[in-house]
Amino acid sequence: DGGITQSPKYLFRKEGQNVTLSCEQNLNHDAMYWYRQDPGQGLRLIYYSQIVNDFQKGDIAEGYSVSREKKESFPLTVTSAQKNPTAFYLCASSSRRSGRLGNTDTQYFGPGTRLTVL
Amino acid sequence: GENVEQHPSTLSVQEGDSAVIKCTYSDSASNYFPWYKQELGKRPQLIIDIRSNVGEKKDQRIAVTLNKTAKHFSLHITETQPEDSAVYFCAASIGNFNKFYFGSGTKLNVKP
């Protein structure tokens, strides 16, 4: 877990403003993920990336964008199109482990960014 | 897609008692089932996981069981301690697609 960092820890956004959340990992993991967690609820997948320069939408991608230009970095931009962005945002990464059952990966999480809309 | 349901949503036990949290999944292709513990305001931490080629796995006071036929898996915590108090999440993954599907979480309260 210590190899995944997120910044900032707290972020405040004004109406109509885009903000970018940082996620960096030095674990040499191929895959990276962004989740949103609302109070008292589970984790919902926003975007994920299995390899550099490639990413896929998760279940709640609307109003968010990502890039994966480097293996170590997977920034998330919360755009003004996201009408209710106040939440706890968690980044995760995983290594591909090949086995008889296929590639099943363990995900490790960063410390999170708490985003609040003013 | 996969649907993971988790029960109960809250669980209160006396210190020293056992706690059991259950999850069901819908896609028989799921083959990896991790459990995470999340303390208030912190990141989820992996506590144990199980793959579909085994039925049970144990790590000290924590164990996980998997029933592939019924498509459910459970977390068992024995001799609970106050520091076990947290929210626990189960998840299921179909592996090759790298997507995790999380349950809604169980808030465990261990009373001293």
Side-chain angles (χ1 to χ4, degrees):
Chain A
D1 285 1
I4 306 174
T5 59
Q6 290 184 243
S7 63
K9 187 173 182 180
Y10 299 98
L11 185 58
F12 298 92
R13 193 193 91 167
K14 296 180 180 179
E15 294 286 345
Q17 191 179 42
N18 292 355
V19 292
T20 297
L21 284 60
S22 169
C23 179
E24 304 276 334
Q25 55 95 4
N26 61 4
L27 302 169
N28 199 33
H29 285 176
D30 291 302
M32 298 185 74
Y33 314 79
W34 274 105
Y35 293 92
R36 170 180 171 142
Q37 187 175 32
D38 292 283
Q41 297 189 30
L43 284 71
R44 293 186 291 168
L45 182 65
I46 305 173
Y47 269 97
Y48 66 108
S49 169
Q50 296 176 316
I51 196 169
V52 175
N53 292 322
D54 186 52
F55 48 83
Q56 289 80 39
K57 292 182 178 180
D59 302 317
I60 55 166
E62 186 174 352
Y64 300 97
S65 66
V66 294
S67 63
R68 187 84 188 278
E69 298 176 0
K70 299 187 299 181
K71 188 175 185 178
E72 303 79 18
S73 179
F74 191 40
L76 173 73
T77 297
V78 184
T79 74
S80 57
Q82 172 49 242
K83 297 307 179 187
N84 185 25
T86 295
F88 188 47
Y89 289 86
L90 287 159
C91 177
S93 69
S94 66
S95 63
R96 183 166 293 275
R97 173 189 138 164
S98 298
R100 184 172 57 85
L101 298 176
N103 299 324
T104 51
D105 311 327
T106 299
Q107 292 187 15
Y108 298 94
F109 287 86
T113 292
R114 192 166 298 280
L115 174 62
T116 302
V117 174
L118 299 174
Chain B
E2 174 67 282
N3 180 45
V4 177
E5 294 190 356
Q6 183 172 346
H7 301 280
S9 57
T10 59
L11 179 59
S12 188
V13 300
Q14 205 67 39
E15 181 178 1
D17 288 350
S18 295
V20 180
I21 302 170
K22 299 181 179 181
C23 288
T24 60
Y25 61 99
S26 59
D27 194 329
S28 57
S30 290
N31 58 12
Y32 176 60
F33 308 92
W35 284 89
Y36 288 86
K37 174 184 179 182
Q38 187 179 30
E39 297 176 353
L40 190 62
K42 301 287 183 63
R43 74 184 85 188
Q45 301 263 18
L46 179 74
I47 56 172
I48 196 166
D49 56 10
I50 191 167
R51 301 183 191 268
S52 59
N53 59 335
V54 298
E56 183 174 359
K57 184 177 179 180
K58 190 174 182 180
D59 183 4
Q60 299 182 337
R61 297 187 297 109
I62 296 173
V64 57
T65 58
L66 171 65
N67 183 326
K68 288 187 294 183
T69 303
K71 294 203 282 288
H72 68 70
F73 55 112
S74 300
L75 178 71
H76 305 253
I77 306 174
T78 59
E79 301 172 13
T80 54
Q81 302 166 3
E83 50 265 38
D84 293 330
S85 295
V87 178
Y88 292 81
F89 292 99
C90 64
S93 171
I94 302 177
N96 285 337
F97 300 101
N98 285 336
K99 289 180 69 173
F100 277 25
Y101 296 88
F102 283 87
S104 54
T106 296
K107 185 175 183 180
L108 174 64
N109 179 35
V110 180
K111 296 177 287 186

